Amino acid sequence: MRRVSYFVPHLHSMTELTFGITFVRHGETQYNRDGVLQGQTIDSDLSEIGLQQAEAAGRYLKDVKFHNVFVSSMLRARQTAEMILKHNSSCSGLPMTCDPLLKEVNFGIAEGGRMQDMKDMAKAAGQSFPGYTPPEGETQEQVKERFKKFWEKMLQQIQSEHWLDRGEGESAVAVTPEASPVEGKADDGVKGVPVHVLVVGHGAYMWVAMHYFVEELHCPLPEGFDKTRMFSVSPNTGLCRFLLTLRKDKDTVHSSGIHCVFMHRADHIKK
């Protein structure tokens, strides 16, 4: 895979760290139900159904251990994360880091309008949807750069908190990315993984992040998935999980392997 490097000073002599990361889209808002684009302008709260979805996600993940929690600074994501943390014993006392880098895509003049309106705008401009940028909105490239800033900052925090505190020469590797079988359980892929990160965000933003993983980190598609399904927008409180291996090389840390455990899982809201 293509090597993506991050400068990290003062590392100990360990060479690898494998960690899990679970992305969760926020629960439903009334704007979602009405087909209205919220973007960044409309900072809405969860609907009754959205609160139920967040509660269900929390109960589904209640026995899954997390070591770090990163959340979009927007209300709908914060409410979802708070509900997940409320049910999870491993998150007791764990700080929830709200980061504006995780905000939803800025849809420019299309915000507050209907999704169908933006699709019509894309068609009139002779462009595909998703991928179309309305006037005054963020381009896909700009959103990707925003995600990369978050990603690099998160990796810096992981190496600082979970790598540097280990003894000199102590291995930080617990599993290889493909080692844990997928059995349809909440902890698929993260059994025995030394670090597991929860990220709660937004549908269009996560869509861009998934493109980055596949196209730039060269993450293989999970079994049974084609690109159309991989790059669909996750449902409200849909779960996506990856395993990433970081390798130290002198004064840099780079990703040496990435594996998708599952995509768009919504077992908790189908029951």
Side-chain angles (χ1 to χ4, degrees):
M1 62 177 288
R2 175 176 172 266
R3 213 166 79 164
V4 179
S5 299
Y6 310 91
F7 177 73
V8 182
H10 312 305
L11 285 178
H12 291 301
S13 63
M14 289 97 60
T15 58
E16 286 191 340
L17 172 70
T18 295
F19 72 95
I21 181 166
T22 298
F23 291 87
V24 183
R25 185 188 176 196
H26 64 79
E28 183 197 81
T29 68
Q30 188 59 48
Y31 292 93
N32 290 143
R33 177 163 287 271
D34 293 341
V36 174
L37 280 169
Q38 297 162 99
Q40 296 183 9
T41 304
I42 302 176
D43 195 14
S44 55
D45 58 358
L46 298 181
S47 65
E48 277 302 315
I49 291 176
L51 290 169
Q52 293 170 14
Q53 292 171 338
E55 175 92 14
R59 293 188 182 281
Y60 182 76
L61 295 169
K62 65 183 177 66
D63 296 321
V64 177
K65 187 173 181 62
F66 294 104
H67 301 84
N68 296 85
V69 180
F70 298 93
V71 185
S72 161
S73 56
M74 305 200 76
L75 178 59
R76 53 194 184 271
R78 287 188 282 114
Q79 285 184 306
T80 303
E82 287 166 358
M83 192 70 76
I84 293 173
L85 268 58
K86 182 182 80 170
H87 289 284
N88 193 297
S89 59
S90 73
C91 294
S92 178
L94 194 66
M96 184 175 77
T97 303
C98 294
D99 195 328
L101 289 172
L102 289 169
K103 279 185 173 183
E104 180 58 298
V105 175
N106 182 342
F107 294 110
I109 67 169
E111 292 187 359
R114 295 190 174 275
M115 178 73 73
Q116 186 57 50
D117 294 339
M118 191 166 83
K119 291 179 179 179
D120 293 342
M121 291 167 66
K123 184 177 180 181
Q127 298 182 32
S128 60
F129 179 87
Y132 167 70
T133 302
E136 302 176 23
E138 282 184 293
T139 66
Q140 187 173 335
E141 186 65 25
Q142 288 172 325
V143 180
K144 183 181 73 173
E145 289 303 311
R146 180 156 61 89
F147 173 72
K148 287 169 67 175
K149 287 180 181 179
F150 163 75
W151 187 247
E152 293 177 16
K153 185 168 70 168
M154 183 198 74
L155 294 182
Q156 292 278 352
Q157 183 170 334
I158 288 174
Q159 64 83 22
S160 175
E161 294 181 1
H162 304 293
W163 204 336
L164 297 185
D165 60 355
R166 296 172 185 266
E168 182 75 17
E170 179 184 349
S171 174
V173 181
V175 295
T176 57
E178 293 82 8
S180 300
V182 178
E183 301 172 331
K185 297 180 180 179
D187 62 353
D188 279 344
V190 292
K191 297 174 186 175
V193 172
V195 181
H196 185 201
V197 177
L198 174 66
V199 178
V200 182
H202 303 270
Y205 183 91
M206 287 170 56
W207 180 84
V208 174
M210 299 308 108
H211 274 269
Y212 174 69
F213 286 164
V214 172
E215 294 168 0
E216 298 205 21
L217 298 187
H218 301 288
C219 177
L221 300 182
E223 185 177 351
F225 271 68
D226 58 17
K227 284 192 174 182
T228 300
R229 189 177 175 197
M230 180 80 174
F231 295 145
S232 61
V233 175
S234 207
N236 290 113
T237 68
L239 312 172
C240 304
R241 180 172 295 160
F242 297 82
L243 287 177
L244 187 82
T245 298
L246 302 179
R247 178 181 290 274
K248 174 202 166 186
D249 182 11
K250 295 183 179 180
D251 289 331
T252 63
V253 168
H254 61 83
S255 55
S256 63
I258 186 169
H259 169 67
C260 180
V261 181
F262 55 72
M263 287 291 297
H264 311 315
R265 182 176 286 185
D267 298 357
H268 53 287
I269 55 176
K270 291 179 179 177
K271 294 179 180 179

